[in-house]
Amino acid sequence: MASRIFLPLFLICAVLFSAKPAHAQAIIEGHVQLPKSPATTVMNQRYSVITSEGVVSISPPLAVVYLEGTFPVPKPTTTAQVVQRDYTFVPAILPVQVGTRVEFPNEDKAYHNIFSYSPAKRFDLGRYRGDERPIPSEVFDQAGLVTLRCDIHDHMRAIILVLATPYFVLSDTAGDFRLTGLPPGHYTLKVWLSSKTTLERPVDLQPGSTQRVDFP
Amino acid sequence: MSVEGKSNLSFRTKLFVTMMLVVSGITILTLYFAENRAADSFERELKGEFQNSLAAMHQAQLIWHTAIMERCRILVRNPRIHAALEDNALDLLYPSAREELQEIVMVRESGVGGGDQQSLRAKFYRFLDREGRVITPPAEINAGTLTLREESLLALPHIPATPQLGYLPLDKATNDDIFEIIALPIISTETGEVVAGLVLGFAPMDLGSPEPGAIKSGIQIAQQLHLPALSARGRDALNQTLVTTHIDHTQTNGLRVEIDGVSCLVFQQLLNRDSLYPPAHEVCLYQIDRLVQRQHELRWRIIGGGILALGLALLVSGFLAARLSRPVEKLVHDSAENLELRQQAEAALATTNRELHRSIRFSADASHQLKTPVAVLRAGLEELLAKRHLTPEQCDELDSLVHQTYRLSSVIEDLLLLSRMEAGRLKIEFAPVNLSHLLDGWLDDFGALPDPLSLTVTTEIPPKVYIAGEKRYITLILQNLLENARKYNRAGGRIQVVVIPEGDRVRLTIGNTGRAIPVSAQEHIFERFHRGIVGEDIPGHGLGLNLAQELTRLHDGDLRLVRSENDWTEFEIQFRSATEEHAT
């Protein structure tokens, strides 16, 4: 599952940074101490969205690491996908840049009805089957946390974390991450752990350097 | 007799009264128990009836609640509601819910309540947030109009894990109803934690039908009673009673009260036990005046029946008392009679005894008194007779006078003897007496006496015939009879003396010729001082036969006249025979 996230992400990053000279870009790598996950079984490395006491988080925990600051932000050109397969959303968490179009293909035989009430994006795709064309999609043009739900299947949840930066990455299950192609300068490195918790660390990026930032 | 009568009456009366008391006592006891049983069964019946109605009502309510709960349970699993609650989109909560709730909510534009009371649909609804506070619906959503105060009453200290039942009295301005509210938790499907609550308000099921005698039900909450079927005054009065009386909530017996002049049974029952909402009691009124009337009727009927039974018992016991007391009366009567007779007899006996003693004393005194002057007379006469210078005529005269004194003496002796015999003071010393010897002696004497009538004597006397008795008395008897045989004879007549021993008796017959005793006099010859026509001119004093008979009887024998007719008179004496031992 993680690999499936990584690959498109990496591609996006590669495309985004291809115009820049490679030697001028910085790299941050580090480790995030992930919170202890509640005793939920992970079947086939499946991740699920947990809303507990109003706090949305991923189980088992993952972190989204991103760089925030004033730098030129290119428009997103690729579309992302959140697939409905086996009555779940794949991926459970999708960080995207503001302005990205996300498609929601239905790979199940049953109907699904994707909607979201999150203030960052409220939409309702209506009921549709997998073979209907065009595949319903939405453009997420506001930064924030969007909780995806299915009107028919209450247990189906996913998160789209809409970020104002193109520089973001999902940590692995251990909490390790590696952000590449970063512009040099003085910026803030943020780590999204849950809707309540976002860690941050100011970083000073030197061209061609590799920094190590660990959270905590 | 009157005393008898009174004791009679009192016995009968006593018996009657006792029977009546017993019967009355039993009847009253039976009636009392019967009435108690009737009253008990009546109350039980009433209670049973009431419990049945209540149970039916509650059953219906239970089914209704279950239906609602089921609907609500489905409702709160709605993803849009969850989304609205969890994804920071409370403004979308009511709009999302409206569609979902359409099935179970029917809210009229005009407000809450009114109209279709029979509908099972909620008349208003409100969401509660995680802390139990009411989420006020946006203005464009019609979730049922409630005042702020009413709305605040829907809030709970926390969202409960199970559905909670409560009662909401609406402000009187809008509506006097009490709404039933059910608060349900909205549980997250992923974490299972309570995220919010939903409160639905329902108009209470109208079960009280207007027919009289049915149950009127209402709800008492926060010391306010809501019973639309009662007048305002009655309601206030009942409310007051309920507040002050503190009916035990688990009480199954009702409280009897007078409301608006009608006697009713009031039952109170806690409706929402263990609910987070304030407690509400269901108050049910059961009009019992009709039933009380029936009870009264029944009681009067029982009493009437009892009185009838008592009357009957009165008659029967009266009759029985009379019948039973009759033999007792008779007994009393007889014994009283017997007592009287006995008393009379005793009195007579006492009198007789007194008189007897008097007569004895008299006889004894009289005899003594008589004997003495006679003796003196005789002595005087004999003295005179002994004087020399008397003429032969004077001597004859004196002689006959002396003879008379002897006669007088003998009469006195006889009387004395008789009186002693009558007093029972004459005791015979029984000894064997030679009858043959005595008779022979007399016959000898008879031969020596002058015989003017020239009588012949024939005898048949076996020798050595012994009889039991005293010699001197037997001599008297024989002398008496033989003298009579001689005296009452005719010239040339005959005297016959026959002795016949017969086992333990000896029969002696003395017969003589002469004028027979007339038949009319034959009965009286043994009476004292009887002389009869025959003996007018024959000397004697009339004691003879009487004396002889009495003496014979004392000897265990008898003297009787065999016959007296045709110139023959025959007497028979019977003696007891004896053996020769100390013969005299």
Side-chain angles (χ1 to χ4, degrees):
Chain A
M1 171 86 158
S3 57
R4 295 183 86 104
I5 302 170
F6 262 85
L7 198 56
L9 277 177
F10 194 70
L11 281 171
I12 292 166
C13 289
V15 165
L16 285 174
F17 288 123
S18 61
K20 294 243 170 45
H23 67 274
Q25 292 176 347
I27 294 170
I28 301 178
E29 55 184 28
H31 172 84
V32 180
Q33 179 101 21
L34 294 172
K36 291 270 182 290
S37 67
T40 48
T41 53
V42 177
M43 298 196 313
N44 302 331
Q45 285 204 313
R46 201 179 280 198
Y47 288 84
S48 56
V49 175
I50 305 286
T51 307
S52 178
E53 291 168 21
V55 177
V56 186
S57 59
I58 304 291
S59 174
L62 282 175
V64 176
V65 187
Y66 60 99
L67 193 69
E68 204 173 74
T70 48
F71 37 74
V73 175
K75 267 200 174 12
T77 47
T78 53
T79 54
Q81 277 193 334
V82 177
V83 181
Q84 296 124 68
R85 186 182 305 133
D86 297 336
Y87 297 89
T88 49
F89 288 115
V90 179
I93 179 162
L94 179 71
V96 295
Q97 189 187 346
V98 171
T100 310
R101 173 174 291 274
V102 182
E103 284 182 345
F104 301 96
N106 183 355
E107 287 181 16
D108 279 334
K109 287 203 171 58
Y111 279 97
H112 285 297
N113 185 345
I114 312 280
F115 76 97
S116 172
Y117 276 4
S118 303
K121 182 75 184 178
R122 286 181 176 172
F123 66 94
D124 188 342
L125 295 178
R127 254 196 275 198
Y128 60 94
R129 282 226 319 251
D131 48 6
E132 284 175 30
R133 293 291 178 272
I135 295 174
S137 62
E138 284 288 327
V139 173
F140 291 85
D141 44 14
Q142 198 179 337
L145 179 72
V146 177
T147 308
L148 297 175
R149 292 169 187 264
C150 173
D151 198 21
I152 302 166
H153 311 100
D154 190 35
H155 66 274
M156 286 173 68
R157 307 278 172 87
I159 292 174
I160 296 180
L161 196 60
V162 185
L163 299 165
T165 170
Y167 309 113
F168 51 80
V169 74
L170 261 180
S171 74
D172 63 8
T173 50
D176 297 319
F177 65 91
R178 190 181 156 87
L179 259 178
T180 56
L182 302 175
H186 195 82
Y187 308 112
T188 315
L189 190 66
K190 289 196 173 172
V191 176
W192 181 98
L193 286 170
S194 69
S195 63
K196 190 176 67 179
T197 315
T198 304
L199 307 172
E200 62 180 58
R201 193 75 58 84
V203 290
D204 198 14
L205 294 170
Q206 302 302 322
S209 65
T210 304
Q211 268 191 29
R212 181 159 183 100
V213 183
D214 284 335
F215 294 86
Chain B
M1 193 57 195
S2 63
V3 174
E4 225 178 51
K6 230 195 264 181
S7 69
N8 253 358
L9 193 63
S10 73
F11 175 74
R12 189 189 293 180
T13 318
K14 270 190 240 168
L15 186 62
F16 176 65
V17 166
T18 312
M19 288 179 75
M20 272 313 297
L21 275 175
V22 167
V23 169
S24 310
I26 292 174
T27 312
I28 286 171
L29 265 173
T30 315
L31 282 183
Y32 175 71
F33 282 120
E35 222 234 317
N36 265 8
R37 280 278 299 277
D40 276 349
S41 74
F42 169 77
E43 271 216 34
R44 237 180 296 130
E45 182 199 318
L46 176 67
K47 248 189 277 172
E49 224 180 287
F50 180 72
Q51 299 288 6
N52 284 345
S53 319
L54 258 188
M57 212 161 74
H58 287 146
Q59 197 68 18
Q61 273 185 342
L62 195 68
I63 293 171
W64 184 43
H65 282 168
T66 312
I68 294 168
M69 302 289 196
E70 209 38 57
R71 287 246 183 92
C72 291
R73 216 170 281 135
I74 297 168
L75 159 78
V76 298
R77 275 196 255 123
N78 183 271
R80 287 190 188 270
I81 292 175
H82 283 197
L85 291 168
E86 291 170 354
D87 298 346
N88 202 6
L90 281 181
D91 53 318
L92 286 175
L93 178 59
Y94 281 91
S96 311
R98 185 170 45 175
E99 271 183 43
E100 292 300 323
L101 288 169
Q102 248 179 8
E103 275 200 15
I104 58 172
V105 172
M106 163 101 89
V107 177
R108 297 196 177 261
E109 296 308 319
S110 56
V112 178
D116 192 5
Q117 292 275 51
Q118 294 303 315
S119 168
L120 290 187
R121 299 192 182 177
K123 298 289 184 278
F124 63 83
Y125 63 98
R126 293 287 185 278
F127 282 98
L128 303 175
D129 65 15
R130 200 184 297 270
E131 277 81 42
R133 288 189 295 264
V134 178
I135 303 170
T136 311
E140 68 273 12
I141 298 292
N142 187 2
T145 316
L146 291 176
T147 67
L148 270 174
R149 186 200 70 92
E150 289 163 356
E151 211 172 74
S152 64
L153 287 174
L154 298 175
L156 288 173
H158 61 88
I159 305 285
T162 54
Q164 300 290 308
L165 185 62
Y167 289 86
L168 178 73
L170 298 185
D171 289 340
K172 285 206 172 31
T174 55
N175 199 314
D176 204 15
D177 281 334
I178 292 192
F179 271 65
E180 210 170 72
I181 50 179
I182 300 179
L184 302 140
I186 298 177
I187 298 173
S188 163
T189 44
E190 32 173 4
T191 56
E193 62 174 25
V194 175
V195 293
L198 172 65
V199 179
L200 294 166
F202 296 89
M205 272 212 321
D206 184 21
L207 296 155
S209 45
E211 69 167 58
I215 300 174
K216 297 193 177 99
S217 70
I219 296 174
Q220 189 202 32
I221 184 165
Q223 304 204 334
Q224 285 283 16
L225 180 63
H226 300 257
L227 234 177
L230 276 188
S231 70
R233 195 171 46 108
R235 198 172 7 186
D236 290 336
L238 181 58
N239 189 32
Q240 210 51 40
T241 314
L242 290 171
V243 164
T244 53
T245 314
H246 287 296
I247 298 178
D248 179 14
H249 303 312
T250 57
Q251 196 178 14
T252 49
N253 295 325
L255 182 74
R256 264 197 204 197
V257 292
E258 275 266 330
I259 298 171
D260 290 342
V262 174
S263 188
C264 300
L265 264 182
V266 176
F267 291 85
Q268 203 184 46
Q269 193 168 344
L270 183 60
L271 282 169
N272 52 348
R273 194 177 292 274
D274 304 327
S275 172
L276 288 174
Y277 281 111
H281 295 97
E282 182 182 41
V283 174
C284 294
L285 279 181
Y286 200 62
Q287 277 180 326
I288 55 170
D289 54 351
R290 196 180 49 165
L291 298 162
V292 164
Q293 198 182 352
R294 230 180 61 195
Q295 192 184 20
H296 270 234
E297 261 180 46
L298 188 69
R299 182 180 290 162
W300 280 116
R301 227 176 276 156
I302 287 180
I303 289 177
I307 288 174
L308 249 151
L310 265 179
L312 203 69
L314 195 89
L315 283 171
V316 171
S317 10
F319 175 67
L320 273 178
R323 285 251 359 234
L324 288 175
S325 68
R326 213 177 293 148
V328 177
E329 283 169 28
K330 193 165 178 310
L331 193 65
V332 167
H333 178 81
D334 283 352
S335 72
E337 229 178 50
N338 285 349
L339 190 70
E340 224 179 275
L341 283 174
R342 198 160 61 104
Q343 281 174 346
Q344 278 179 359
E346 276 179 3
L349 196 63
T351 315
T352 310
N353 206 18
R354 278 199 305 277
E355 286 188 352
L356 193 63
H357 279 103
R358 210 183 313 135
S359 75
I360 289 169
R361 278 200 311 276
F362 169 78
S363 303
D365 290 345
S367 291
H368 266 287
Q369 298 285 357
L370 288 168
K371 270 208 266 194
T372 319
V374 167
V376 168
L377 191 62
R378 193 187 312 132
L381 286 171
E382 282 178 344
E383 208 183 296
L384 268 176
L385 205 57
K387 290 209 191 277
R388 293 217 189 213
H389 53 274
L390 287 173
T391 62
E393 293 94 17
Q394 284 171 335
C395 281
D396 283 341
E397 202 64 44
L398 282 171
D399 216 13
S400 91
L401 286 174
V402 168
H403 187 68
Q404 287 298 327
T405 62
Y406 276 110
R407 267 191 66 192
L408 201 54
S409 286
S410 82
V411 169
I412 291 166
E413 286 286 342
D414 285 350
L415 275 174
L416 189 59
L417 188 62
L418 267 174
S419 80
R420 277 170 62 208
M421 275 199 298
E422 279 181 352
R425 305 255 308 263
L426 194 68
K427 293 256 175 350
I428 309 287
E429 281 181 34
F430 286 93
V433 173
N434 196 333
L435 182 63
S436 321
H437 194 72
L438 274 178
L439 284 169
D440 291 336
W442 183 80
L443 285 166
D444 285 340
D445 288 343
F446 178 70
L449 280 174
D451 184 19
L453 293 176
S454 308
L455 298 167
T456 40
V457 181
T458 55
T459 62
E460 267 181 50
I461 305 169
K464 292 197 194 261
V465 177
Y466 286 92
I467 56 176
E470 252 183 79
K471 186 170 169 194
R472 56 186 170 130
Y473 295 129
I474 293 171
T475 314
L476 263 176
I477 296 165
L478 292 172
Q479 266 182 355
N480 216 303
L481 285 169
L482 290 166
E483 278 295 317
N484 283 352
R486 192 180 61 82
K487 277 190 288 189
Y488 293 93
N489 220 322
R490 60 173 168 78
R494 186 169 61 95
I495 299 175
Q496 178 181 299
V497 178
V498 177
V499 173
I500 308 163
E502 283 178 351
D504 63 338
R505 312 292 290 169
V506 174
R507 263 197 316 137
L508 167 66
T509 55
I510 302 174
N512 64 283
T513 52
R515 210 186 316 167
I517 306 167
V519 178
S520 58
Q522 279 179 16
E523 291 171 16
H524 304 292
I525 51 170
F526 291 105
E527 284 170 17
R528 212 174 285 186
F529 298 121
H530 171 86
R531 294 293 326 273
I533 311 159
V534 181
E536 288 277 319
D537 52 342
I538 295 172
H541 40 64
L543 276 176
L545 274 178
N546 181 267
L547 195 62
Q549 196 185 44
E550 292 292 327
L551 277 173
T552 318
R553 289 222 178 108
L554 278 173
H555 280 76
D556 283 341
D558 194 26
L559 168 63
R560 69 182 181 97
L561 174 69
V562 179
R563 62 172 178 274
S564 177
E565 61 195 354
N566 297 335
D567 191 44
W568 184 252
T569 306
E570 192 173 302
F571 283 89
E572 184 192 80
I573 319 168
Q574 283 193 28
F575 285 110
R576 219 170 48 168
S577 68
T579 53
E580 179 188 353
E581 277 177 26
H582 316 287
T584 47

